[in-house]
Amino acid sequence: MAVTKAERAELKKLPIQGYCDWKGIAYTTSSPSEIRMVDHDSLVVRPKMNLFVWNSTGIKGDLVDFIHYYELGKQDGDSKGEAIRQQLAYARYVKGENIDLDKLAQERQPAYQFNYDKVFRTKETDVAKDYLVNQRQLDPQFVDRLIQRGEVAQGSKYHENDILHQNPVIFPWKSVEGKIVGADRQGTEIDFEHYQKRGSSKKISLGSDTSTGYNLSFGQGDKTLVLFESPIDLLSYAQQNHQALIANDATLLSISGTDSKRGSQYLNDAIAKKQARFNNIIVAFDNDRAGFKAADYFDRFTFKNTVTNETIQAVREIPLKGKDWNEQLKAGVTGKQTLTMAENSQRLEELEQIVTEQSQGNPFDTKDQKASALPATNKSTDDKKTPTQRTKAQRRQENRVKNMALIKEAMAKVTQYQTDPQALKQLLDFTASGLNYSARNSLLIQLQRPDATLLKGYRQWGESGIQVNKGEQGIRIFGAPIDLKTIIEPNGERVRWADATADLKQKALDKELVVKTVKHYPVETLFDVKQTNATPDKIPSLLPNRPIDLATDNSPIHLDQAY
């Protein structure tokens, strides 16, 4: 039977916040009108609107989108069938509890109280020890001590994504008073199919107190606070710096993500409740853009210890090898690089430049054409280069010119839609064929390849085990807009920050020149399925969901998916 409009409206009322409570997805209440995910604090849910926005990715939507992109880690173009099934499972749970959906959509259900006794654990420790020692390469004696002291435990096997998973490692969280008030659950098996780049399951126990996190103390543990993104990094750092941590009376705290406010909250609680003498913060987040961005929080604010009446000094530490402390441990390297918070901000700026380096201009906006000035060059150096040894900036400029030429050539055909009704009908038919792109990008695709049916980027095809045929011409479309940093020269010309000379950048930093941001649209390249080596037997699994005729197709699976 078909789903009625009334039933669809009821499903729309299912609250994202209530779903998080049901699935044990940890979040914090950042204001009366919004909540934030613990492991990705840039994802904000507004319960009154029952919508979310993931600021770091630009993704937003309703409960199905939340499950699809956030919980399942899927991408654009992936089927939302599994997300809909999860929504239906929650709907059945709610219906079974006889909850009024109108009331549920407006009122938050009482928060679940964390109880460590209800976190299922085993007496055996072989799986946890194997994971920590053999996979993470922590010292066996160190791991034994952690287990004996209850700092680490082995969880029971668990079901996730309809699969029975191996025993996880449990990392209990302690409040500043020493009470266990939460826990991390770290999966011990690799599964890239379900966990994308992470490779393994990472969860926070339902009801965990997010004013703290997994922590260990050395010496008195009340002078230096060291912050990490995960318990594994915390343990890797502790193993390599054990003696120094004792001498510095350090407490190590994992905030299970990059929400730096949790570190400051723990600090304030320790000072208020335990009269802690903290005078140093070491931000030991990952050596990547997200880590530097999170650490920048401690450069923007000043913290004071109300017990000692001293200003708390913050510094940044990164591993000498690899992205995080466990990568360094596994590489057999010791040591660390210490940065001031000002140097952290400078490094963040450099990383932000790299992110915007490949962005392209928007050819529809003529007033921004000057924003992509030709890169400044050093003549004495360029004279020595052969014609094939072009700089990155030169190659970027050449690609920009090629992309703009291709798009302008396509856009030149737009006038035919104004004069030829048949051409306009073909465009509308093409747009309605099921490709999930904006009107502007649908237009660009149709102008470049009218027979396109299923599009992906080169890397996306590769992830599906499919190769783009050699010599194929890609289809150019616009990606999401980004803010591009530019320097305004005295003559009014705009120079991209990535293309500016060191002298020009220094003048900008010294505020001798104005720095502005302009919207730019990166040009992305797609390939149609007919341009790949995809075989007929693979195509059905790649195609987006097509409409189901419930009058003729009574498959229980299709009916459930349609509902």
Side-chain angles (χ1 to χ4, degrees):
M1 57 180 288
V3 179
T4 66
K5 287 185 178 181
E7 289 170 327
R8 283 197 293 268
E10 287 293 290
L11 287 174
K12 280 284 187 182
K13 293 178 184 177
L14 290 170
I16 300 175
Q17 186 175 13
Y19 180 84
C20 291
D21 292 337
W22 180 58
K23 292 298 291 286
I25 299 173
Y27 58 81
T28 59
T29 303
S30 55
S31 77
S33 61
E34 65 181 33
I35 63 174
R36 291 177 181 268
M37 299 302 103
V38 169
D39 57 347
H40 288 285
D41 63 293
S42 68
L43 194 153
V44 180
V45 178
R46 295 185 174 87
K48 288 186 178 180
M49 300 172 65
N50 203 26
L51 297 171
F52 79 94
V53 58
W54 196 346
N55 292 306
S56 64
T57 65
I59 297 171
K60 57 186 176 181
D62 57 14
L63 176 58
V64 170
D65 296 313
F66 177 85
I67 299 170
H68 181 76
Y69 292 107
Y70 173 70
E71 187 181 23
L72 301 178
K74 301 294 186 181
Q75 305 295 321
D76 285 333
D78 292 340
S79 168
K80 291 187 178 179
E82 178 59 29
I84 294 172
R85 282 191 286 273
Q86 295 275 24
Q87 180 199 37
L88 289 171
Y90 179 48
R92 295 187 186 102
Y93 161 78
V94 170
K95 185 178 180 181
E97 295 292 323
N98 296 317
I99 296 174
D100 184 331
L101 284 181
D102 285 316
K103 185 177 180 181
L104 186 66
Q106 298 172 4
E107 299 179 4
R108 178 189 171 191
Q109 297 303 306
Y112 175 84
Q113 295 297 315
F114 175 83
N115 186 342
Y116 193 49
D117 291 335
K118 294 183 179 180
V119 176
F120 297 117
R121 307 184 299 283
T122 67
K123 293 181 179 180
E124 295 79 15
T125 60
D126 54 324
V127 176
K129 288 173 67 174
D130 176 73
Y131 173 78
L132 294 173
V133 174
N134 296 324
Q135 289 194 47
R136 295 299 189 169
Q137 296 188 16
L138 292 167
D139 180 81
Q141 293 182 342
F142 180 36
V143 173
D144 284 339
R145 287 197 299 272
L146 291 170
I147 292 174
Q148 290 167 7
R149 293 166 52 184
E151 306 284 3
V152 168
Q154 179 172 302
S156 302
K157 294 182 178 180
Y158 62 98
H159 280 87
E160 195 168 86
N161 297 317
D162 297 324
I163 300 172
L164 179 63
H165 290 274
Q166 187 59 277
N167 306 76
V169 180
I170 305 297
F171 297 97
W173 300 0
K174 293 178 295 185
S175 66
V176 294
E177 295 98 339
K179 180 183 176 181
I180 298 179
V181 293
D184 285 288
R185 188 192 76 191
Q186 169 66 60
T188 56
E189 53 193 345
I190 302 299
D191 184 355
F192 289 108
E193 179 182 355
H194 290 101
Y195 303 115
Q196 307 295 317
K197 293 181 180 179
R198 290 185 313 189
S200 61
S201 172
K202 293 181 181 180
K203 292 286 185 180
I204 293 173
S205 294
L206 182 63
S208 293
D209 181 357
T210 53
S211 65
T212 182
Y214 182 66
N215 60 83
L216 295 177
S217 294
F218 297 82
Q220 296 298 315
D222 65 347
K223 288 186 178 179
T224 302
L225 180 64
V226 193
L227 301 177
F228 302 88
E229 292 185 30
S230 73
I232 294 296
D233 287 334
L234 183 155
L235 296 178
S236 301
Y237 182 96
Q239 180 171 308
Q240 293 193 326
N241 301 281
H242 182 255
Q243 294 302 320
L245 294 173
I246 296 175
N248 293 326
D249 291 322
T251 288
L252 277 56
L253 172 69
S254 164
I255 61 173
S256 300
T258 55
D259 184 3
S260 297
K261 294 186 291 297
R262 288 181 60 191
S264 62
Q265 189 169 355
Y266 181 91
L267 183 74
N268 292 332
D269 285 348
I271 293 171
K273 298 176 182 178
K274 299 290 288 184
Q275 302 293 294
R277 300 170 296 159
F278 283 118
N279 55 20
N280 290 296
I281 300 174
I282 297 175
V283 188
F285 295 159
D286 290 357
N287 183 16
D288 60 10
R289 177 171 168 255
F292 281 97
K293 188 172 184 178
D296 194 51
Y297 172 83
F298 293 96
D299 187 42
R300 291 183 280 118
F301 300 96
T302 300
F303 299 91
K304 194 170 185 177
N305 190 316
T306 55
V307 174
T308 63
N309 204 32
E310 295 178 350
T311 299
I312 300 174
Q313 303 298 323
V315 296
R316 176 85 160 101
E317 287 187 359
I318 55 176
L320 299 179
K321 179 76 174 180
K323 179 177 74 73
D324 56 47
W325 299 101
N326 188 244
E327 285 188 9
Q328 173 164 291
L329 179 69
K330 291 192 287 189
V333 178
T334 59
K336 54 196 175 185
Q337 181 182 358
T338 303
L339 307 173
T340 65
M341 297 315 300
E343 289 172 330
N344 178 85
S345 296
Q346 184 178 354
R347 186 74 63 86
L348 173 62
E349 188 171 288
E350 293 169 354
L351 293 170
E352 296 284 5
Q353 292 171 24
I354 293 173
V355 171
T356 59
E357 206 171 47
Q358 300 301 320
S359 63
Q360 310 294 333
N362 174 10
F364 292 126
D365 190 351
T366 55
K367 68 180 181 181
D368 283 343
Q369 293 294 327
K370 294 180 180 179
S372 299
L374 285 171
T377 58
N378 185 315
K379 191 176 188 306
S380 61
T381 303
D382 287 355
D383 287 344
K384 297 178 183 179
K385 290 182 178 293
T386 65
T388 58
Q389 292 177 311
R390 303 184 311 283
T391 65
K392 286 184 179 180
Q394 288 171 325
R395 291 196 298 270
R396 190 168 60 246
Q397 176 68 9
E398 292 171 7
N399 289 334
R400 184 184 304 120
V401 171
K402 290 178 182 178
N403 288 335
M404 289 174 62
L406 285 168
I407 290 176
K408 283 184 177 181
E409 181 183 356
M411 294 305 297
K413 303 175 184 177
V414 171
T415 53
Q416 75 181 67
Y417 297 124
Q418 300 173 339
T419 57
D420 186 351
Q422 186 60 32
L424 180 59
K425 180 181 182 301
Q426 290 175 356
L427 172 62
L428 295 176
D429 288 342
F430 177 82
T431 305
S433 64
L435 293 176
N436 188 23
Y437 292 96
S438 67
R440 182 175 64 178
N441 279 334
S442 295
L443 175 64
L444 286 171
I445 293 168
Q446 200 268 346
L447 289 169
Q448 295 174 75
R449 194 174 184 95
D451 62 341
T453 54
L454 178 60
L455 300 170
K456 291 178 183 285
Y458 186 90
R459 185 176 297 176
Q460 288 177 303
W461 281 122
E463 291 173 352
S464 301
I466 294 170
Q467 184 66 42
V468 175
N469 298 329
K470 189 174 181 180
E472 290 288 352
Q473 179 70 47
I475 302 165
R476 271 33 174 226
I477 65 169
F478 288 115
I482 61 173
D483 290 328
L484 182 65
K485 191 175 180 181
T486 59
I487 300 172
I488 311 300
E489 291 190 296
N491 61 3
E493 292 289 323
R494 291 179 178 177
V495 180
R496 290 173 40 151
W497 186 276
D499 295 338
T501 62
D503 180 61
L504 208 58
K505 290 179 181 178
Q506 189 57 51
K507 288 182 179 180
L509 292 172
D510 294 338
K511 299 188 177 180
E512 295 178 23
L513 294 175
V514 177
V515 177
K516 290 188 176 182
T517 58
V518 292
K519 287 290 183 185
H520 278 259
Y521 292 74
V523 175
E524 298 178 356
T525 303
L526 304 176
F527 296 91
D528 185 60
V529 66
K530 291 183 285 293
Q531 297 176 280
T532 71
N533 65 353
T535 55
D537 60 303
K538 285 188 177 181
I539 291 178
S541 64
L542 298 169
L543 288 172
N545 288 338
R546 298 303 184 188
I548 299 171
D549 186 352
L550 296 179
T552 57
D553 188 343
N554 293 316
S555 162
I557 296 177
H558 285 171
L559 290 173
D560 192 49
Q561 288 177 337
Y563 177 72

